[in-house]
Amino acid sequence: MTYHRLMRTVTAVTLAVLLTFSFSLFTPAWSQSSATDTQQGTPSGAGMQVASVLSTICYFPFKAAFAIGGGIVGGLAYGFSGLNEQTAKSIWIPSMYGTYIITPEHLSGDKAVRFLGVAADTEATPAPAQ
């Protein structure tokens, strides 16, 4: 097998795996019920679904790369800070939390797209002093 044929085969297999992974990732988002369910079965609803898939295909690689980079940097910060978990979490939470899949609700403005994640309210809210 020549080098070029091998590279074409590797590229094709990689794209096939990524495409399969992306469809398994998108399916749960499509199955969620929302306020825009009334548009299902209409041309407008179908257009929003297509637009959300195309938007996710463009958006997801950037968010995933940011999350992976944040995971690595947070891990390094954890090690270099003397195993201080708060230091690592201050990097991990904004980089790894947030929106990964663009849904029709995001496109219609009903739901915000959060590239940077926010910690859950229960973690961020300290207990009241008594």
Side-chain angles (χ1 to χ4, degrees):
M1 209 180 243
T2 66
Y3 175 75
H4 294 292
R5 182 177 284 171
L6 177 64
M7 290 308 295
R8 254 189 262 145
T9 304
V10 168
T11 303
V13 168
T14 303
L15 286 174
V17 168
L18 288 175
L19 186 63
T20 303
F21 174 71
S22 67
F23 282 126
S24 67
L25 194 71
F26 296 146
T27 303
W30 288 337
S31 66
Q32 295 175 357
S33 62
S34 66
T36 59
D37 281 345
T38 58
Q39 290 185 351
Q40 279 188 334
T42 65
S44 175
M48 289 296 278
Q49 290 285 339
V50 169
S52 69
V53 169
L54 294 175
S55 299
T56 300
I57 289 171
C58 295
Y59 170 80
F60 179 78
F62 294 106
K63 177 60 181 172
F66 186 74
I68 291 168
I72 293 169
V73 171
L76 290 171
Y78 179 70
F80 287 124
S81 68
L83 306 180
N84 185 342
E85 190 175 328
Q86 284 305 109
T87 301
K89 281 186 174 182
S90 69
I91 298 169
W92 286 333
I93 289 172
S95 64
M96 292 182 171
Y97 287 24
T99 304
Y100 282 83
I101 298 172
I102 306 296
T103 63
E105 291 83 16
H106 292 118
L107 296 177
S108 66
D110 295 335
K111 195 173 179 185
V113 175
R114 293 187 172 267
F115 189 81
L116 296 177
V118 182
D121 290 336
T122 57
E123 293 177 9
T125 307
Q130 294 190 21

